[in-house]
Amino acid sequence: MKRTFDTGNAAITEAAIRAGCNLFAGYPITPATEIAENMSRRLPQVGGYYLQAEDENAALHICNGGSIGGLKAMTATSGPGFILFADAFGWAVSSEVPVVIVNSQRVGPVSGITGAPGQGEFYLSRYLTHGGNFETIVLAPSSVQEAYRLTVRAFYLAERFRTPVIVLADQMVTDGWETLELPETDAEFLAMGLEVVPRRIHPGPEFYPATDDIDVPPVVLGHNTGAACSDWTPTDRGHDTEDITWQHKHAWRLIHKILNHRDLIDEADQWYLDDDPEVILVAYGTPSRVVQNAVNAARRDGLSVGGIRPISLWPFQDHLFKRRAIYLVVELNWDGQLVREVQRAAADGSQVHFWGRCGELPTSAELLEDITTLLKHEPLARDGWRTEKW
Amino acid sequence: MSDLLEKYVRPEKNPGTACKGCGLRLAHRKVLEAIDELGLAQGDVVWGTGIGCSGRQTFVTWKGDTFAGTHGRVYAMATGLRLALPPEKRLILTVGDGDAFTIGFLHLLNAARRNVDMTVVVFDNLGYQSTGGQYGVTTPLGSKTDSSPYGAWEPNWTQGGFDVLRILKESGATFLARHTVLQGHEPVESLKKAIQNRGFSVVQLIYPCVTHYGVQALGTRDLAKIYDWFRERTADDLSADANTHFTTGITHDASGSRVEFAAGLRQFVASVQKGVGNGETD
C-alpha cells in the first residue's frame, strides 16, 4: 500500500484510473474542479482522453458517446452542473450505458454557496431525469478513503448493471485532506474488496432482452453488430417502438435488474444496534462522521443510542429502519430529504426527528444535547430551523 | 434505387414511415447514394440521428451500427464516440434544422471548433414539422405556420444577411454545403466530399414537407405545386439573393486543412506518454 495524505478529489481520480476510466469530459465547477484538473493530468499518462465540454449537458453526452464506443467514461460536477445532466442521464439509463457521475454537493439552491458542503441532491440523484420507469444506483462516501473505494465500486456496478452510477459526495469529502491508502498491487486491490469489470461488447441482435439479468454486455457501436441504441423506447433489438408492451418490458427491466440484485448494491454502517437502542441517529456523507463521534460518546456515557449510515443511498434501504426507535436524521440541508425516506421506512410506532443545517457540520455536543433530550422523551428545543419534529 | 434500400436499409424500415410525398425520402436516398458511390459497406459507417422528422424517420434504418441522441445533443455524443471509433470509420448524422441550428447549436459550434470527424446532414424542412408545423430558424420570413398564423416574423438564420453556414465556417467547420433535394445529383457530390473530409462537415439539405409546410405556408398538398415553389426559389449561385432564394452549392471546402480532433488528441496523449510533457502536437 502506498500511504499518502490527499484530497477526496485525488482519491476519486486515482480510483477512476485504477478502474480503467479512459474518458473524462467535464466543465469546471467548484468544488469538483480539482477532479477535472487531476484527470487532465493523469488520463494522458495512461493513454486516456480528457475533454472540457461546452457545458455539463455536453459533458455527460460526450461520456455517453464514448461509452457506446467502448470507453469507460466519467464526469464530475456540483449541483448547478448536476441539474444539467438530466437529459444525458436519462439517455444513459434508458439505453443502458455504463457511465460514472460524481457530484460533490455544495450549498443550494442554484449557485448558492460554492465552497461549503450541502446535501441537497439526495432526491435529485434518485430522479436525475424525467419520465420515471427506472431505478438509480447512488453511493455516498464519507471519507477520502471511501471516496476511492466507492468510485471503483461505481465503475464496477456501472458495467455489471449497464447503467449510470452516481457517487454522491459533498464538498468536505472531495476538498478534505485525509490519509489515503492506495493499493500498489492487484493483490492489495483485491484485498480491499475491489474488482474491475472490463468492458464487454454485446454481440447482438437482442441488445435489450426481456430479462432482469445483470452482466448483459452493453451496446457498443463500431463492431458492425447492428448495434442500435436511442432515447426511444426500444424493442429487444433496439428499434424504436410506440408499442406499450415493449415499453412495459423495458421499464420492467430498468427497474428490476437493479431491485432484484440489491445484494450487490446495498451497503451500510450500523453502530450499536445489537441491543436495540432507544435512539438511533441517521446520516450519510460527512455529517455521518460527526454522528459516529456523537454516538460513540453517548455510548461511553452509557446512553441507549445507535447509528445508521447508509453507504448506498438508492435504491433506498428500507430494511435498515425496521427497528422501532426514536430516529434522529442529521442532514446538511434545512428542508429535510433523507428524513422523508426514513419516516416512510421506519417501523410502526417509531418517532422520526430531523436535525438540519447547511454549509457547516453539526458538532458532537449539539447532537449529544438532542440525544439526551430525546432519551428523556422531551420535545427538542427549537433554535430557528435547527431541530424540527418532522 | 430499391437495390440501394435493400443494400443499406433494414427491411423493417423499408418502406419508411415518413408522410406520403415527404421530401425526406429523397434526402435519405441522397445520403445512401453518396455512401454507395464512395463504395462504403455497412460496416464502414456508424449512423446517428437526432429528434424530429429527420431523426425519427432515419433512426435505425441503417443496417449497420446506429444510435439516436437526445434533442440537439447528438453532436456532443458523436464527439465522445469519435474518440472510441477507428479513424477510418465514417460517422454520419442525419438531423433536422431544429436539432442542429437551434436546440443543438451550441454543441454543433463546438464540434466545428474541435473539427471532430463527422458528417452532419441537416434535413431541413423549414421548421418544426413533426410537432405539427411551427416556424424555426430556417423558415422563410412571412411563412404562415401553426405558430405564426400572421406570418413568421422573428429573424431567422437564412435571410436578412444571415447564413447559418457562415457561422459554422467561422467556428472552424472544414466542409459546408447547401442543396435542395430537388437538385438531382449535385447534393450527392457534396455529400461524398463531406463524408470524405476527415473533419467536421455539414450539408444542409432542404426538402419539402407536404403535410405541414406545404399546407400551412404554401396552401397546397399538391406535390407538383410544392416542388415548383422550391425549384423557383432555388439558386445554383451562392451569390444569389438569399432573401428570396435558397442559395446552393459548396459554401466552404477546407477539407484536410485542420487537425482532426480525435487524431490530434491521440497524438497529444502519445506525446504526453512519451514524456514530452508540454503536449504540443507536431
Side-chain angles (χ1 to χ4, degrees):
Chain A
M1 287 287 193
K2 183 178 156 197
R3 197 175 161 86
T4 64
F5 187 68
D6 221 324
T7 63
N9 289 314
I12 288 165
T13 302
E14 290 311 315
I17 300 286
R18 184 63 182 80
C21 177
N22 48 10
L23 172 63
F24 181 97
Y27 189 93
I29 183 168
T30 306
T33 305
E34 286 80 359
I35 300 174
E37 290 176 346
N38 286 329
M39 291 303 272
S40 76
R41 180 175 49 82
R42 290 288 285 122
L43 270 175
Q45 294 173 354
V46 297
Y49 305 125
Y50 171 85
L51 272 82
Q52 243 160 255
E54 50 270 26
D55 61 18
E56 286 85 351
N57 193 342
L60 189 50
H61 275 101
I62 289 169
C63 288
N64 286 346
S67 189
I68 60 169
L71 301 177
K72 283 192 172 186
M74 180 174 91
T75 185
T77 192
S78 189
F82 196 57
I83 191 74
L84 295 184
F85 286 162
D87 206 5
F89 182 80
W91 194 93
V93 165
S94 186
S95 300
E96 302 192 57
V97 169
V99 63
V100 172
I101 297 163
V102 178
N103 177 11
S104 176
Q105 298 177 97
R106 67 190 211 193
V107 175
V110 287
S111 293
I113 296 170
T114 58
Q119 290 184 324
E121 283 103 67
F122 173 76
Y123 278 115
L124 187 61
S125 67
R126 166 63 183 88
Y127 292 109
L128 190 52
T129 195
H130 60 93
N133 297 315
F134 66 95
E135 286 285 338
T136 315
I137 303 175
V138 181
L139 312 176
S142 67
S143 69
V144 169
Q145 189 68 53
E146 194 173 49
Y148 179 90
R149 185 176 69 81
L150 292 186
T151 302
V152 175
R153 286 274 305 159
F155 276 93
Y156 169 83
L157 295 172
E159 291 296 327
R160 291 198 68 183
F161 286 84
R162 58 174 209 181
T163 194
V165 176
I166 296 168
V167 177
L168 191 66
D170 58 61
Q171 179 267 341
M172 293 193 99
V173 166
T174 56
D175 275 353
W177 289 75
E178 287 187 286
T179 300
L180 171 65
E181 290 197 329
L182 295 171
E184 290 180 292
T185 64
D186 288 348
E188 286 174 348
F189 186 73
L190 289 171
M192 291 173 86
L194 297 175
E195 204 179 323
V196 172
V197 178
R199 174 58 56 87
R200 297 151 299 177
I201 296 166
H202 200 295
E206 293 187 343
F207 298 96
Y208 295 96
T211 164
D212 64 348
D213 285 350
I214 58 166
D215 293 321
V216 177
V219 181
V220 176
L221 278 67
H223 299 269
N224 198 23
T225 54
C229 55
S230 76
D231 43 316
W232 309 108
T233 295
T235 66
D236 52 355
R237 296 171 78 104
H239 286 215
D240 56 316
T241 178
E242 301 213 333
D243 183 336
I244 203 72
T245 57
W246 279 118
Q247 196 283 332
H248 182 206
K249 285 179 187 175
H250 184 54
W252 188 87
R253 174 168 168 67
L254 296 183
I255 293 164
H256 292 286
K257 70 174 177 181
I258 290 174
L259 291 186
N260 291 353
H261 298 91
R262 294 192 53 160
D263 53 317
L264 290 168
I265 304 165
D266 286 355
E267 216 183 320
D269 272 346
Q270 302 184 64
W271 303 309
Y272 308 110
L273 297 187
D274 291 343
D275 58 359
D276 288 323
E278 202 172 343
V279 171
I280 299 175
L281 270 62
V282 185
Y284 75 93
T286 302
S288 70
R289 304 279 288 272
V290 183
V291 162
Q292 188 178 11
N293 281 343
V295 170
N296 284 337
R299 276 280 163 168
R300 282 195 296 274
D301 291 346
L303 302 179
S304 178
V305 178
I308 296 173
R309 175 174 82 96
I311 296 172
S312 58
L313 294 184
W314 299 104
F316 195 73
Q317 300 181 74
D318 286 20
H319 61 90
L320 295 173
F321 306 96
K322 288 308 167 206
R323 281 184 178 77
R324 195 172 126 179
I326 300 169
Y327 291 97
L328 180 62
V329 183
V330 181
E331 297 184 60
L332 288 180
N333 59 59
W334 295 113
D335 53 321
Q337 300 193 8
L338 173 64
V339 66
R340 298 173 198 238
E341 289 304 300
V342 174
Q343 187 187 43
R344 183 187 55 72
D348 288 349
S350 296
Q351 288 179 35
V352 179
H353 300 269
F354 172 55
W355 201 106
R357 177 180 289 169
C358 202
E360 58 182 10
L361 294 171
T363 64
S364 280
E366 286 174 309
L367 296 180
L368 279 166
E369 189 186 320
D370 284 349
I371 288 168
T372 310
T373 307
L374 288 173
L375 284 169
K376 286 186 206 157
H377 300 274
E378 288 175 3
L380 292 173
R382 286 189 60 171
D383 175 12
W385 289 88
R386 190 172 69 96
T387 45
E388 192 76 62
K389 183 170 188 317
W390 199 259
Chain B
M1 197 63 86
S2 62
D3 288 349
L4 202 58
L5 294 177
E6 275 170 32
K7 184 173 178 183
Y8 291 123
V9 172
R10 299 190 188 213
E12 306 93 309
K13 294 280 181 170
N14 183 18
T17 46
C19 301
K20 189 161 181 273
C22 179
L24 190 142
R25 293 174 203 278
L26 292 171
H28 193 181
R29 281 179 185 188
K30 302 287 180 207
V31 180
L32 295 177
E33 279 177 50
I35 289 170
D36 191 47
E37 289 181 21
L38 288 171
L40 297 171
Q42 174 189 313
D44 296 330
V45 173
V46 171
W47 193 308
T49 58
I51 301 287
C53 287
S54 50
R56 196 68 195 261
Q57 309 306 334
T58 55
F59 171 60
V60 89
T61 53
W62 182 246
K63 273 185 182 171
D65 296 353
T66 178
F67 69 105
T70 51
H71 201 12
R73 319 299 170 201
V74 71
Y75 323 103
M77 289 186 67
T79 298
L81 178 58
R82 184 75 263 178
L83 295 172
L85 292 177
E88 64 275 12
K89 202 78 87 175
R90 302 291 79 211
L91 184 50
I92 298 173
L93 310 178
T94 47
V95 302
D97 45 290
D99 200 283
F101 299 150
T102 59
I103 192 169
F105 201 48
L106 172 66
H107 312 303
L108 196 74
L109 290 177
N110 279 282
R113 170 178 64 82
R114 297 184 177 106
N115 195 34
V116 185
D117 184 6
M118 66 178 86
T119 299
V120 180
V121 189
V122 181
F123 288 0
D124 180 359
N125 55 11
L126 307 180
Y128 299 98
Q129 311 304 348
S130 73
T131 44
Q134 296 81 33
Y135 70 92
V137 294
T138 61
T139 308
L141 292 172
S143 297
K144 286 187 177 175
T145 72
D146 275 3
S147 66
S148 57
Y150 310 110
W153 169 86
E154 222 181 295
N156 62 28
W157 258 339
T158 51
Q159 293 168 292
F162 293 108
D163 181 351
V164 68
L165 295 187
R166 202 167 61 231
I167 302 172
L168 287 163
K169 179 187 170 187
E170 292 303 320
S171 303
T174 40
F175 185 89
L176 297 164
R178 174 167 47 235
H179 296 280
T180 78
V181 294
L182 303 176
Q183 286 181 299
H185 206 255
E186 275 177 64
V188 178
E189 290 302 325
S190 288
L191 284 163
K192 282 157 69 177
K193 287 183 178 161
I195 294 166
Q196 283 178 299
N197 174 31
R198 295 293 173 104
F200 185 75
S201 305
V202 175
V203 178
Q204 183 187 358
L205 213 45
I206 300 163
Y207 75 92
C209 162
V210 175
T211 308
H212 297 301
Y213 194 77
V215 170
Q216 293 161 10
L218 307 181
T220 182
R221 281 196 73 104
D222 185 329
L223 216 52
K225 284 181 184 164
I226 293 171
Y227 278 26
D228 280 348
W229 183 88
F230 272 82
R231 286 201 183 95
E232 284 162 13
R233 217 188 149 82
T234 303
D236 292 333
D237 183 358
L238 285 169
S239 62
D241 184 355
N243 283 309
T244 52
H245 286 82
F246 303 123
T247 58
T248 63
I250 295 170
T251 68
H252 179 57
D253 186 355
S255 299
S257 67
R258 294 183 61 207
V259 173
E260 193 278 318
F261 182 70
L265 185 52
R266 284 193 189 100
Q267 197 179 17
F268 173 83
V269 167
S271 73
V272 173
Q273 284 189 296
K274 267 187 267 173
V276 172
N278 62 13
E280 284 174 16
T281 51
D282 47 45

